[in-house]
Amino acid sequence: MPDLLDDLPVDDREPLAEGAWLLRGFAREQAPALLAGIDEAVSAAPFRHLLTPGGRSMSVAMSNCGARGWVSDRRGYRYEACDPVSGVPWPPMPTALRAVAREAAQAAGYPGFEPDACLINQYLPGARMALHQDRDETDFAAPIVSVSLGLPAIFLFGGLARADKPQRRRLVHADVVVWGGASRLVFHGVAPLARGEHPLTGPQRLNLTFRKTR
Ligand code: MD3
Ligand code: FE
């Protein structure tokens, strides 16, 4: 039986860690449709700066689409069916977004991925994300798929302990990373965004993370 990974040219997939693959340029053709889907979602659920449980405003602005959305406030981190700003359900996950997540998961060896949440991160120059684990989901068997759009960023990923020295990778427009298996709970973050101008997104980076939350 052919390996699912054989569907991509070998140069376009880099192993990052056990179970984690960087699919270079995987979303290039779909990028305009993904950006249209993001516009549609954020017109209903605008980007906002969430508060950490400690009361600090995050530098990354966030929104969500799909059946559930990730939120943070004084009470902690969790997934919610409704946008706390509007009180109504998060906008549906656009078909193009769900499709690219499923295709990337399949290409990395995780067929049948069914994301129920898509966190939309907006980075303007200076925005960063401190090292953290994604552990607010109940099902760590499913991978997380991340799609980078617009300006490049330095992505940091360490190991299963916070103290593990992180590796640095530059992620550019249309790169997709799939984190599963032994890498599902690695510590990761993003260095402060450098200013720039991208033809499709202007002065910003957008990142989509697709999760199966339960
Ligand atoms: C490794 N976002 O939203 S995507 C996040 O670029 C988040 O906005 C970053 O970390 C961003 O939680 C990084 C890459 C990523 C996403 C999820 C992961 C790496 C991951 C989950 C487990 C391990
Ligand atoms: Fe994360």
Side-chain angles (χ1 to χ4, degrees):
M1 194 166 97
D3 191 320
L4 290 166
L5 296 171
D6 291 345
D7 291 347
L8 274 177
V10 79
D11 286 353
D12 289 347
R13 54 173 212 251
E14 298 174 29
L16 284 184
E18 196 186 332
W21 293 91
L22 169 50
L23 310 176
R24 285 282 184 204
F26 187 88
R28 184 161 306 282
E29 289 183 1
Q30 300 98 315
L34 299 178
L35 291 167
I38 292 170
D39 279 348
E40 184 187 322
V42 302
S43 68
F47 286 122
R48 79 292 306 264
H49 294 272
L50 300 175
L51 286 185
T52 66
R56 295 161 59 105
S57 175
M58 297 188 186
S59 62
V60 177
M62 297 180 172
S63 186
N64 291 278
C65 59
R68 306 222 290 155
W70 188 82
V71 298
S72 174
D73 60 19
R74 285 288 200 166
R75 289 158 48 212
Y77 307 133
R78 64 199 175 277
Y79 286 94
E80 295 271 16
C82 290
D83 177 352
V85 172
S86 64
V88 302
W90 295 105
M93 194 183 298
T95 312
L97 273 65
R98 179 175 182 274
V100 78
R102 288 178 56 79
E103 287 159 17
Q106 165 131 349
Y110 302 99
F113 181 47
E114 291 279 4
D116 61 353
C118 174
L119 174 64
I120 308 168
N121 292 330
Q122 181 194 47
Y123 293 75
L124 296 177
R128 61 187 287 273
M129 195 175 285
L131 274 191
H132 66 280
Q133 292 171 299
D134 287 18
R135 50 186 294 172
D136 302 317
E137 303 75 30
T138 52
D139 180 11
F140 297 139
I144 290 186
V145 173
S146 136
V147 179
S148 292
L149 295 167
L151 291 180
I154 303 294
F155 176 68
L156 313 168
F157 70 99
L160 295 176
R162 183 179 290 280
D164 294 339
K165 184 183 160 66
Q167 300 186 46
R168 304 168 80 88
R169 285 290 169 124
R170 191 165 181 268
L171 293 182
V172 305
H173 178 72
D175 285 351
V176 177
V177 189
V178 182
W179 303 86
S183 291
R184 174 63 181 76
L185 288 170
V186 300
F187 279 87
H188 58 278
V190 178
L193 194 80
R195 65 184 70 256
E197 190 69 24
H198 187 277
L200 294 185
T201 66
Q204 64 181 329
R205 171 177 187 257
L206 296 165
N207 180 266
L208 301 172
T209 48
F210 295 90
R211 296 96 186 271
K212 179 180 186 300
T213 68
R214 57 181 168 191

